[in-house]
Amino acid sequence: MESLSPQQQMSRMLTGYWVSQALYVAAKLGLADSLKDGPRTADDLSPATQTHPKALYRLLRALASVGVFAEDDHHRFSLTPLAECLRSDVPGSQRSLAIMTGEEHYRAFGQLLYSVRTGKIAFEKLFGVPVFDFLQNHAEQAKVFDEAMVGVHGRESAAMLDAYDFSGVRVLADLGGGNGSLLSAVLRKYPAMRGVLFDLPGVAERAKANIQVAGLAERCQVVGGNFFEAVPGGADAYLLRHIIHDWDDIKAKTILQNVHRAMGKDSRLLVVESVIPPGNAPSFAKLLDLTMLVIPGGQERTEDEYRTLYEGSGFRLTRIVPTTAEVSVIEGQKAS
């Protein structure tokens, strides 16, 4: 982008949704899965994907121009490393993320002006309910959300485990633990550790099968509940990954105060989030913050904002451990 004029750079930015929506359609149609056994033409792919052959060709050609798929002299398309990310059967698959961001998230971002003008949540304006209530009542979208989070968080889990030492933690409580992928990764690395996965009852039920498949049922208790009301006691460390950023300061403080009540005096608080850096440098967190604005109504935070949030909830921020991913481990202990 640096070699482009400001006008060209702005044009690329303004039309960014052209590519994101093309990726959504490719993901929804399962095109990467259809090409995993070798090159095929749009005419070959059209019947199975229930698409118009020429229109499908135009979609594939456009994505090939940005490195997603590759077209040969016989108009056959094949996978590239980028296209591999859209396969549903690869580690770190981004297919569900492309579907999720292309549907409800895309519609919510279309109402960004509403959120900026009012400070209110665009998702709720569109769908009539908060996003997590929506997912509880829409099983298909909840499944896509779970799969998308695995794709997003897979690299973060490895980076977190490389950066943060969980030695000495006998019992780890993963609050809002979702499908259990993070807690499973930690328990596999620390075989003497026991885990507690805590989430809403419906989510917890879905997670039980994953914990069972991972062979961790004897070491991991799955508990349903609501962290706005109470969280399980007895853990040495309480882990919240991408939980606090979903909520405004008042609700985030409620969660943290419930954790504070459940914790022993030597327990650790481990919040895993992106931390917004100062200055004008590019930052994934600064754009993710807009997603928090329009969809759950939360926010990304700076180090100072986390320190203030911790202090207001009875904690002392002890250190921030960066990782090679976009997140850091924001460690805290009881201040009183």
Side-chain angles (χ1 to χ4, degrees):
M1 291 273 286
E2 290 182 2
S3 62
L4 301 176
S5 70
Q7 289 80 7
Q8 289 172 313
Q9 291 183 52
M10 180 58 70
S11 178
R12 294 282 179 91
M13 292 178 179
L14 291 171
T15 57
Y17 73 95
W18 293 0
V19 175
S20 62
Q21 278 294 291
L23 290 169
Y24 156 67
V25 174
K28 189 77 171 178
L29 294 175
L31 295 178
D33 287 343
S34 297
L35 292 171
K36 66 183 179 182
D37 294 325
R40 300 176 68 183
T41 66
D43 286 339
D44 294 334
L45 295 167
S46 175
T49 56
Q50 298 182 318
T51 54
H52 184 277
K54 188 172 182 179
L56 179 59
Y57 171 77
R58 292 164 68 181
L59 174 76
L60 288 162
R61 179 179 62 185
L63 286 171
S65 76
V66 293
V68 185
F69 308 117
E71 183 181 8
D72 65 18
D73 293 339
H74 301 287
H75 302 300
R76 295 177 304 181
F77 291 90
S78 58
L79 297 177
T80 63
L82 281 175
E84 291 279 353
C85 299
L86 295 180
R87 285 178 55 179
S88 60
D89 59 348
V90 297
S93 169
Q94 303 288 284
R95 184 188 177 205
S96 291
L97 179 63
I99 293 172
M100 182 183 74
T101 57
E103 292 184 346
E104 294 87 17
H105 285 210
Y106 178 72
R107 290 181 60 191
F109 251 84
Q111 297 292 319
L112 176 59
L113 179 60
Y114 165 82
S115 290
V116 171
R117 279 183 166 159
T118 66
K120 296 179 180 179
I121 304 168
F123 188 97
E124 292 183 16
K125 176 177 182 284
L126 282 170
F127 297 98
V129 293
V131 61
F132 297 113
D133 291 351
F134 176 88
L135 293 173
Q136 277 191 285
N137 295 312
H138 293 79
E140 182 179 345
Q141 285 88 343
K143 180 175 182 291
V144 169
F145 177 83
D146 285 348
E147 292 171 350
M149 293 304 100
V150 172
V152 168
H153 297 158
R155 188 171 71 89
E156 290 181 358
S157 297
M160 184 195 76
L161 284 168
D162 287 342
Y164 191 84
D165 185 4
F166 284 86
S167 299
V169 176
R170 295 165 299 173
V171 179
L172 175 66
D174 187 1
L175 307 182
N179 60 21
S181 60
L182 174 60
L183 185 54
S184 295
V186 180
L187 292 177
R188 280 194 292 266
K189 182 168 181 178
Y190 294 88
M193 183 188 291
R194 300 184 66 83
V196 179
L197 189 149
F198 180 78
D199 213 315
L200 293 170
V203 179
E205 278 302 312
R206 295 202 303 271
K208 280 183 181 178
N210 296 331
I211 297 296
Q212 194 85 31
V213 169
L216 296 167
E218 293 185 2
R219 293 172 52 207
C220 184
Q221 182 184 9
V222 180
V223 180
N226 187 329
F227 49 44
F228 286 111
E229 297 170 0
V231 303
D236 301 301
Y238 287 80
L239 177 65
L240 299 96
R241 179 173 67 172
H242 292 318
I243 300 298
I244 296 303
H245 79 162
D246 286 331
W247 309 102
D248 61 23
D249 284 344
I250 294 173
K251 291 180 179 177
K253 193 176 292 186
T254 298
I255 296 168
L256 293 180
Q257 287 171 340
N258 285 334
V259 175
H260 188 276
R261 277 190 283 271
M263 286 173 64
K265 63 182 180 64
D266 296 321
S267 297
R268 285 182 253 173
L269 170 66
L270 307 174
V271 169
V272 181
E273 298 284 8
S274 299
V275 178
I276 295 179
N280 298 317
S283 167
F284 176 77
K286 294 174 183 177
L287 294 175
L288 182 60
D289 185 47
L290 296 181
T291 300
M292 297 302 107
L293 173 65
V294 301
I295 296 175
Q299 65 182 93
E300 303 303 324
R301 293 173 173 88
T302 64
E303 178 177 344
D304 285 344
E305 287 171 329
Y306 272 112
R307 196 174 302 279
T308 299
L309 181 63
Y310 275 33
E311 290 171 357
S313 306
F315 291 97
R316 175 172 55 87
L317 196 159
T318 51
R319 58 177 175 150
I320 294 179
V321 181
T323 75
T324 55
E326 291 87 3
V327 296
S328 297
V329 181
I330 309 160
E331 184 188 74
Q333 291 184 326
K334 275 189 166 183
S336 59

